[in-house]
Amino acid sequence: MTVSLILASQSPSRRAVLAAAGVIPVIHVSEVDEPAALRDAANARGVSVEQMSAEERVSILARAKALAVYESWKLVADTAASASGDLVVGYPLEAESAESESSESASSALADDSQSDVTHNVDTAQTRDFSGVKVPTKTFDIHDFAHMNEYCKDCNSVLIVGCDSMFLLDGECYGKPHTPTLAAARIKQMSGKTGELFTGHCLIDAKSGKTVCKVSRASVTFAHMSDEEIRAYVETGEPLEVAGSFTLEGFGGAFIEGIQGDPHGVLGISLPLLRQMVCDLGYAWQDLWNSRKLESEAIKDDPTSEEVPKENVHQPGDGWVMCDCGRKHWGHNGAAGVLLARRDDATGRVTHVVMQHRALWSAEGGTWGIPGGAISDGETAIEGALRESFEEANITSQDIDVVGAYCENHGNWRYTTVFAFEKPGHSVNPCAHDDESMEIKWVPIDDVPNLKLLTAMRTDWPSFRTRLDSLASTR
């Protein structure tokens, strides 16, 4: 059995600890308002936040983070489960003379002056292009995705883990200092002393809702630090956004003289404790092992830069595939995106669609397409499209209806376009949620062909427009 783990945190150290242990988690930031969560919990108990112990506080915050991601996961799962309509699957590589026709079409596209300033940051200059090819298709029920994602078939469960750390010194709880002044004052106070680091863990079985919460504890002894050392350490920026104003794995490691307890807990997530929690929910720890050799990781950066990012957080399923069509495509399990349409209240006709202006560092950067990305291990194509479109474009699952899909199947890789409408009385406010986009916006449907479209979108748009109009006329 394979179990997918979602980490409700963007902490690089937590992800690194898991990855080193063979678990590549899906990263889903909780966006919990931590001070508000603590105030609410304290009010419910009739005490002040200051009266709660460090152990209580990290437990509350870990649970809040895990629950927030669980609720988001449920919205995606529920929207995917309520999808209706047909899944049309196209098989372009099975078309007669598809290879020669698509090659000619690609050459023609490269010669098109309207595309001359497009940035290409992959080995091949074009994404898939089958314009002029009569693609054979088959139609399935929209929920018949299992055969298209091998990892989805094998993944029986999803676990969500939330964590929070807090450092206790001389009876005072230290969270993240956020400012250099506060960090310097705290580190000066910690110099030469021993304190206790508490890390709360909350693990939720997404499919059953069962929850386990535990706290790890470790004593940390600091070296005596000079004022110059403290100043230099603060200037690195490292201690500003970490609990207790120190890290074990970074610049701060040289100033830590001893640890009693679980060192992984000091890094933000305790592997022995998490293993126990996984077992408490009825799973085996090795069921979470999913590491595969990834290409060199790159960091997300300025989307208007043409430089490929240097440190991008890879999710399970991320990576390039050398496709049977002869090009490189993104996503070990394929990729998917959402084509979201808005209709006129009176006529029901489609008036706008959400479009993504792609970051310059991406493949065919500077073109327009739809928000989407690699399908993660354990996801259907619809779930992957919904998750990616929220992460990239703030397309909220609870505000849309999935009404159909088109999957272009290349054999060892496929891309699924999920068609969706805003629900009646609901409104989606798209925006660029990350640095993969220069802009996300509603575009009048008649204006889409005038945009500099991603090659694949330019090829598919006429049929997509026809299908959107057909879906709108029947609803």
Side-chain angles (χ1 to χ4, degrees), residues 48-172:
S48 67
V49 173
E50 291 70 23
Q51 290 175 304
M52 292 193 298
S53 68
E55 186 169 0
E56 290 175 315
R57 296 187 210 184
V58 295
S59 294
I60 290 165
L61 292 177
R63 183 180 180 87
K65 293 174 183 179
L67 284 174
V69 172
Y70 174 50
E71 292 300 326
S72 180
W73 180 91
K74 285 200 301 181
L75 287 173
V76 167
D78 291 346
T79 300
S82 63
S84 61
D86 292 329
L87 162 65
V88 178
V89 181
Y91 303 90
L93 302 190
E94 297 180 12
E96 291 185 12
S97 68
E99 182 177 352
S100 61
E101 291 187 42
S102 83
S103 176
E104 292 173 5
S105 176
S107 298
S108 174
L110 283 171
D112 184 350
D113 288 340
S114 68
Q115 299 289 318
S116 61
D117 61 343
V118 171
T119 301
H120 303 291
N121 288 305
V122 291
D123 294 354
T124 51
Q126 293 285 308
T127 55
R128 55 199 166 86
D129 182 3
F130 294 100
S131 54
V133 177
K134 187 176 181 180
V135 178
T137 63
K138 295 180 182 179
T139 301
F140 301 88
D141 180 86
I142 197 169
H143 297 290
D144 190 6
F145 279 103
H147 66 290
M148 296 184 185
N149 185 350
E150 292 299 320
Y151 288 95
C152 177
K153 286 195 296 184
D154 296 335
C155 185
N156 301 86
S157 294
V158 175
L159 299 179
I160 299 167
V161 61
C163 299
D164 189 80
S165 298
M166 196 162 289
F167 187 65
L168 183 66
L169 182 72
D170 297 334
E172 183 177 355

Side-chain angles (χ1 to χ4, degrees), residues 381-444:
I382 294 179
E383 290 169 341
L386 293 173
R387 175 184 54 78
E388 283 281 343
S389 65
F390 173 72
E391 291 175 357
E392 292 186 4
N394 196 43
I395 293 177
T396 44
S397 296
Q398 64 269 31
D399 295 314
I400 68 176
D401 288 318
V402 174
V403 294
Y406 174 73
C407 173
E408 186 175 284
N409 192 323
H410 292 195
N412 67 330
W413 184 86
R414 74 285 304 167
Y415 188 94
T416 302
T417 300
V418 175
F419 297 92
F421 293 144
E422 279 183 313
K423 287 181 178 179
H426 291 243
S427 179
V428 173
N429 299 307
C431 64
H433 251 186
D434 59 23
D435 48 19
E436 296 188 23
S437 311
M438 290 192 285
E439 186 179 11
I440 304 280
K441 67 178 182 178
W442 286 106
V443 174

Side-chain angles (χ1 to χ4, degrees), residues 128-131 135 339 406 408 415 417 419 453-467:
R128 55 199 166 86
D129 182 3
F130 294 100
S131 54
V135 178
L339 178 53
Y406 174 73
E408 186 175 284
Y415 188 94
T417 300
F419 297 92
L453 297 175
L454 185 73
T455 300
M457 177 56 71
R458 187 174 70 247
T459 301
D460 292 336
W461 177 250
S463 62
F464 286 177
R465 169 69 190 267
T466 299
R467 188 165 182 193

